[in-house]
Amino acid sequence: MQDEDNGQEGGGEVDWREMRARLVAQEQGLKGSSDDGEWVYNAGQNVERGCLLLAGSANRFGFGLRQQHFHKCVMLVISTEAEGTKAVIVNRPSEKRTARGWPVLFGGEVRGFTAPPGDQEWTCVHCLPLPGGSPRWGRAVLGPWRWLSLADAEALVDEGAATPRDFWVFCGFSGWGAGQLQREMDERASWHVAAASAPALGELMRGAAAAWPGEAGVGAWTALVQQMGLRPSPVGHVGHLSDRLLRAWARAELLGDDRQRQERTLAALARAAARRAAQGEEVGTPPGTLLRAALPSHFILRQQFLHKAVLLVLRDEGEATVAVVLNRPTANSVVFQAAPNDAGDAGGGAAGG
């Protein structure tokens, strides 16, 4: 769907969305429309600007093993254009701040927290009344909700036209190329689509931003799933492994200051190197050494096969250390084909591995 933004508040847009919500409520017997204007309903696969995307849980682990930030996330679609779709995650508050001290939410992995400072993209969302439909207040999303850059939001605050509390600030975003999002919904049921009214969106945004970052917005996702009448798979149940991985990700990415954490890590490595040098220890890890993954594990979010692993060092040649994991048996097997001997015989054998 191509975005249409004429700089107005979108009164006509609200009318047809409200009308559609009332029809859905009548047909499905849902609480899709109410007197206070707050409604949310399952929109099937109808992705449009201003809709919400909820992470699906049809796969065995959902997004728990990789891309944990997507597990039980709620995204607001801010742009649907011919070249693709753009959205920000609205239920991932963090303890991070902008240079001016404004609270920041994790908006997505693209140009997000892990990108170099110069490559990060900052998006601000607000629902302020528009003075004369000025484009300086950003592009339309849904009803009075609009989005603009952090620089433009700061300029409005400097002019006294707004305050920092008027904006939700997101670092990073999520994006799909043309047809990519639809394929993810068709092939893997990765996403549920929710249509929501502007007041319901405001309630979601305020509640999600005020939540404790370590909770990772699970409460907001659960509430919306219930409103939509969805029945999540076991992956969606509270306390599933994917939930624990998501909270581990939240502790690593949303709490505290990355720079301070990196400085502490580098300082610890420097102290360890100095200690080994003072004790006259050899550099390197001799063959035959057994290594045990440290706890708390640094492999819980990535390379999970190394979590609580025991490794045997085979060789250490300076440029690289080669080791094998001893405690990860599998049901796989390999077949070894022996080379022909001098008499022309050939032999074979099989071994489990």
Side-chain angles (χ1 to χ4, degrees), residues 13-28:
E13 180 179 89
V14 173
D15 289 342
W16 69 257
R17 286 178 186 266
E18 177 70 25
M19 181 180 300
R20 187 173 62 188
R22 291 184 183 278
L23 291 173
V24 171
Q26 292 173 3
E27 293 178 0
Q28 301 183 7

Side-chain angles (χ1 to χ4, degrees), residues 40 53-55 57 71-74 91-92 192 204 208 215-233 235-240 243 246-247:
V40 176
L53 295 178
L54 280 68
S57 56
H71 178 62
K72 291 189 176 180
C73 78
V74 179
N91 65 328
R92 296 287 188 260
H192 303 296
L204 167 67
E215 195 262 345
V218 169
W221 180 90
T222 302
L224 284 172
V225 165
Q226 293 173 348
Q227 283 182 277
M228 294 169 63
L230 298 174
R231 294 184 178 180
S233 72
V235 177
H237 294 168
V238 176
H240 188 271
D243 276 17
L246 172 62
R247 290 189 169 92

Side-chain angles (χ1 to χ4, degrees), residues 23 36 95 194 307:
L23 291 173
D36 60 7
E95 293 183 346
H307 177 62

Side-chain angles (χ1 to χ4, degrees), residues 272-283:
R275 183 175 62 253
R276 289 195 297 270
Q279 294 174 352
E281 297 181 10
E282 288 188 27
V283 177

Side-chain angles (χ1 to χ4, degrees), residues 44-348:
Q45 294 187 341
N46 183 31
V47 177
E48 59 191 356
R49 188 187 64 207
C51 73
L52 299 172
L53 295 178
L54 280 68
S57 56
N59 298 333
R60 183 181 179 188
F61 289 105
F63 294 105
L65 295 182
R66 297 175 180 84
Q67 296 180 301
Q68 291 88 3
H69 56 274
F70 278 145
H71 178 62
K72 291 189 176 180
C73 78
V74 179
M75 287 193 279
L76 172 64
V77 175
I78 61 175
S79 176
T80 53
E81 299 181 346
E83 59 268 25
T85 303
K86 184 175 183 178
V88 290
I89 301 176
V90 299
N91 65 328
R92 296 287 188 260
S94 78
E95 293 183 346
K96 301 177 187 295
R97 296 291 186 268
T98 69
R100 294 192 177 191
W102 299 9
V104 176
L105 293 91
F106 174 85
E109 79 287 2
V110 182
R111 303 182 67 180
F113 288 151
T114 59
D119 292 334
Q120 292 175 336
E121 180 169 320
W122 302 81
T123 301
C124 293
V125 176
H126 71 87
C127 60
L128 292 166
L130 299 180
S134 171
R136 295 173 57 250
W137 292 83
R139 300 178 61 186
V141 178
L142 171 67
W145 290 90
R146 304 180 77 82
W147 67 278
L148 69 170
S149 69
L150 175 61
D152 289 340
E154 290 175 338
L156 291 171
V157 171
D158 291 341
E159 295 169 11
T163 71
R165 292 188 299 274
D166 293 324
F167 299 101
W168 284 259
V169 183
F170 300 90
C171 181
F173 64 93
S174 296
W176 298 263
Q180 181 184 356
L181 178 57
Q182 190 65 50
R183 288 194 298 272
E184 291 185 10
M185 291 193 295
D186 292 342
E187 298 171 5
R188 301 192 298 273
S190 297
W191 306 100
H192 303 296
V193 185
S197 65
L201 176 58
E203 187 69 20
L204 167 67
M205 298 275 282
R206 286 185 288 271
W212 178 55
E215 195 262 345
V218 169
W221 180 90
T222 302
L224 284 172
V225 165
Q226 293 173 348
Q227 283 182 277
M228 294 169 63
L230 298 174
R231 294 184 178 180
S233 72
V235 177
H237 294 168
V238 176
H240 188 271
L241 170 63
S242 295
D243 276 17
R244 299 197 294 273
L245 290 170
L246 172 62
R247 290 189 169 92
W249 173 86
R251 289 193 299 270
E253 302 296 334
L254 304 182
L255 301 181
D257 187 286
D258 283 339
R259 183 173 300 176
Q260 293 180 2
R261 189 160 53 243
Q262 291 170 1
E263 290 176 352
R264 289 195 297 269
T265 300
L266 291 174
L269 290 173
R271 289 195 299 271
R275 183 175 62 253
R276 289 195 297 270
Q279 294 174 352
E281 297 181 10
E282 288 188 27
V283 177
T285 308
T289 301
L290 288 175
L291 303 176
R292 183 189 69 179
L295 294 175
S297 176
H298 297 283
F299 301 110
I300 193 65
L301 297 179
R302 298 175 182 85
Q303 296 181 302
Q304 288 91 352
F305 71 94
L306 290 176
H307 177 62
K308 293 188 176 180
V310 177
L311 283 75
L312 172 65
V313 176
L314 300 182
R315 67 174 185 269
D316 187 343
E317 299 175 347
E319 294 83 5
T321 301
V322 177
V324 293
V325 181
L326 299 181
N327 60 332
R328 294 290 183 265
T330 76
N332 299 322
S333 62
V334 295
V335 176
F336 298 100
Q337 185 68 44
N341 57 25
D342 294 338
D345 296 332

